[in-house]
Amino acid sequence: MKAIAEKLNAANIDEAIERVLQVTCGELAYPLNWRGSPAIERHLKIFKWWDGFFLTDEGEKQYGWLLPNQTAITKKGICIDTACFCGTLLRILKVDAYVVLGAIMDSKTKSLLGFHAWVAARKSDGKQVLLETTIHPVTPPLIPVEEAYEGRLKVQYDPILWFNEAEYQEDEKKVQKYERILEQHIA
Amino acid sequence: MSGSLSSTSRKPSLILEAMTSSMSELKKQKAIWDSFGVTKFYEKQKEEQKKLMQELRKARAKKAVQKRVLTKIRKKAK
């Protein structure tokens, strides 16, 4: 990961944020299985002569996260994998950044669509931006966190917990809120 | 980041469990791709994956036929 970070030749924090997002979105891909569903399972097969292909209906159907170096090698990852990859590169480049786990809601209806992972990084002017790491191969713009968290996009990002290599923090009220929603859903 | 913070070690297990569902993952991911206007990339990738799977099935079927034929020839030769 250090070698990837060094290759980016970022002169300052803002450049580092932009280049890390570029490499995350440009060089990685979102894994889909042959049914077109996200390949969330960690049983994978890669055929070099097919430029990578996941066969997820074979073997154990388990959910797991890839380590950033595993993502770098497989070149594929779901939200949490690419967010951890992006977050790690930013932290190596001394950027104030966190991997954030949260909920995605429809901005209009406020209905819960699912849970997601993204990266929040602080630019040199002190403003926080959201890095959406699951858009491939185009690089999405940096989104001011207020826009994403206040529902000014089509989907609303709601952060629940955030972490980097130094700390882990969670919004207890939100954890309880979403756990209640999930309990009702399961019941 | 704002909100009431805590650094407890209690992990939000229900939320992590919910992340393991591929169906909700697809629903959420489609909404995100749609909001960034990149759904076409997903559709393209989906088609490519389908084609690759068809090719794989064809290749497996061809190999199976070849194996059967080869076995028959070997048996006859004996």
Side-chain angles (χ1 to χ4, degrees):
Chain A
M1 293 302 290
K2 273 188 181 173
I4 299 171
E6 281 165 12
K7 268 187 194 172
L8 297 176
N9 284 323
N12 53 51
I13 284 173
D14 295 346
E15 220 172 80
I17 294 172
E18 278 178 20
R19 290 189 184 175
V20 166
L21 187 60
Q22 274 168 13
V23 84
T24 305
C25 296
E27 292 188 15
L28 304 181
Y30 195 87
L32 295 176
N33 63 22
W34 63 275
R35 292 188 188 95
S37 296
I40 58 168
E41 303 87 349
R42 299 294 87 165
H43 177 86
L44 60 92
K45 284 182 178 176
I46 293 174
F47 300 98
K48 283 180 182 170
W49 38 278
W50 263 356
D51 193 25
F53 185 54
F54 281 68
L55 277 181
T56 58
D57 56 346
E58 291 182 2
E60 288 182 20
K61 286 194 169 185
Q62 285 184 341
Y63 175 84
W65 296 3
L66 291 177
L67 293 167
N69 57 348
Q70 292 173 320
T71 308
I73 289 171
T74 58
K75 302 271 181 200
K76 290 185 187 229
I78 56 169
C79 56
I80 185 64
D81 305 325
T82 52
C84 287
F85 173 88
C86 180
T88 302
L89 287 179
L90 289 171
R91 293 299 296 152
I92 290 170
L93 296 169
K94 313 279 182 211
V95 179
D96 180 13
Y98 296 88
V99 172
V100 186
L101 287 190
I104 294 292
M105 293 177 295
D106 186 305
S107 289
K108 280 184 187 168
T109 63
K110 301 291 173 196
S111 61
L112 179 65
L113 297 170
F115 293 95
H116 191 46
W118 61 89
V119 173
R122 197 174 297 280
K123 291 179 79 178
S124 58
D125 59 6
K127 287 179 181 166
Q128 267 203 330
V129 284
L130 183 147
L131 282 71
E132 176 52 66
T133 59
T134 60
I135 307 296
H136 315 285
V138 290
T139 307
L142 298 172
I143 308 159
V145 288
E146 315 81 61
E147 277 188 29
Y149 295 170
E150 288 167 17
R152 284 183 239 161
L153 307 173
K154 272 189 181 178
V155 288
Q156 185 174 348
Y157 292 73
D158 194 16
I160 301 172
L161 62 93
W162 47 97
F163 61 90
N164 59 22
E165 84 293 346
E167 59 179 322
Y168 167 86
Q169 288 192 316
E170 67 183 38
D171 186 327
E172 266 191 88
K173 281 181 186 171
K174 281 189 189 170
V175 170
Q176 285 165 7
K177 175 187 149 188
Y178 285 109
E179 281 189 342
R180 271 199 303 275
I181 292 171
L182 288 169
E183 276 166 358
Q184 282 168 2
H185 186 67
I186 292 163
Chain B
M1 291 289 175
S2 62
S4 65
L5 306 179
S6 81
S7 56
T8 61
S9 60
R10 192 178 68 87
K11 299 286 180 287
S13 55
L14 269 178
I15 292 167
L16 289 177
E17 260 177 50
M19 286 180 82
T20 66
S21 156
S22 69
M23 279 320 289
S24 74
E25 176 75 16
L26 183 61
K27 189 180 167 190
K28 171 264 301 184
Q29 207 53 52
K30 272 185 172 174
I32 291 169
W33 287 328
D34 182 45
S35 76
F36 283 88
V38 294
T39 315
K40 61 179 180 187
F41 291 113
Y42 161 72
E43 297 297 341
K44 196 181 159 194
Q45 202 187 340
K46 193 178 163 182
E47 283 308 308
E48 278 171 8
Q49 292 292 65
K50 270 187 186 171
K51 275 183 193 168
L52 284 172
M53 196 61 204
Q54 279 171 357
E55 277 180 40
L56 179 65
R57 278 182 180 150
K58 273 184 196 170
R60 278 178 176 168
K62 198 178 168 184
K63 207 175 171 184
V65 170
Q66 279 174 345
K67 202 178 171 183
R68 272 206 303 273
V69 171
L70 204 67
T71 315
K72 270 188 184 176
I73 292 168
R74 276 181 186 157
K75 271 185 184 174
K76 273 188 182 177
K78 279 179 186 175

